Amino acid sequence: MTVREVVERVQEILDVIPPHVTLQAAVKGRSPIEVNAVIEAGVTQIGENYVQEAVSMIELIGEKASWHMIGHLQRNKTKPAIKLFDMIETVDSWRLAKDIEKHCAEEGKIMPVLIEINSGYEATKTGVLPENVDGLIENMSTLQHLQVKGLMTMGPRFGDPEDSRPYFKVTRQTFERLEARQIPGVEMKYLSMGMSNNYLIAIEEGANIIRIGTRLFGTREE
Ligand SMILES: *Cc1c(COP(=O)(O)O)cnc(C)c1O
């Protein structure tokens, strides 16, 4: 896809999504030129899956956008990750939370995080099951250098976007349940869900961050 096409794709999406929803560009495997193009077109938030890729990308592009970690964070990458990212969307264990806490304390940084929910109850997927999230968040609320700001989910992949709705609904219900509990130090502000083929459904179900890759950049060569 050419830079002009990428810019058009961004504009098409920005035109249809409500103003309270943030369009995040999911940029795994894309070039700095492509990433720059979406930023020029008005994207303010970039999602990265890999710490290694983020290092060079952020070096080149820097502060023009905010940087969210949306891939599974390996514990041996936590230290560089907390230096690079403005938010980590994929916290799903107490071990990882404690590790983020430790490195943030060393850096004197407070990291906003989302909890990743395994809304499809998929054995092979990362994320916390909806019924296990309360305990994790209660523990996390005691950490000084990490702030829970909401939830993120992927959900199973389907051809028909409508099939994703139950998984978004479950995540939204979990979000609202946690919001109502008003756990001190925990804020339910961001609900990150919806990708290229189902972001409109996700917005209907309450998403305020949508993470879009293919629809902006075309299919990836893998
Ligand atoms: C790749 C990716 C996306 C974007 O997926 P597309 O279908 O390409 O829009 C969103 N979220 C995560 C975590 C991803 O890895």
Side-chain angles (χ1 to χ4, degrees), residues 5 13 70 85 103 124 129-130 166-167 175 182-183 189 203:
E5 284 169 326
I13 295 180
I70 61 172
F85 290 106
H103 292 298
T124 56
L129 298 179
Y167 305 97
F175 183 91
Q182 301 204 340
I183 302 167
K189 183 171 183 189
I203 293 170

Side-chain angles (χ1 to χ4, degrees), residues 26 28 49 70 152 154 157 195-196 211-215:
K28 56 178 174 286
N49 289 67
I70 61 172
M152 176 272 209
M154 295 269 284
R157 293 239 179 193
M195 304 190 286
S196 288
R211 308 180 310 271
I212 312 287
T214 314
R215 224 188 125 81

Side-chain angles (χ1 to χ4, degrees), residues 87-103:
M87 183 184 279
I88 296 173
E89 296 200 11
T90 47
V91 177
D92 65 353
S93 74
W94 176 235
R95 249 163 73 111
L96 176 58
K98 277 192 300 185
D99 224 44
I100 294 171
E101 167 68 21
K102 184 180 108 192
H103 292 298

Side-chain angles (χ1 to χ4, degrees), residues 74-92:
Q74 291 166 297
R75 281 178 70 242
N76 63 355
K77 298 277 169 61
T78 310
K79 193 180 162 77
I82 69 112
K83 291 190 185 158
L84 289 165
F85 290 106
D86 300 299
M87 183 184 279
I88 296 173
E89 296 200 11
T90 47
V91 177
D92 65 353

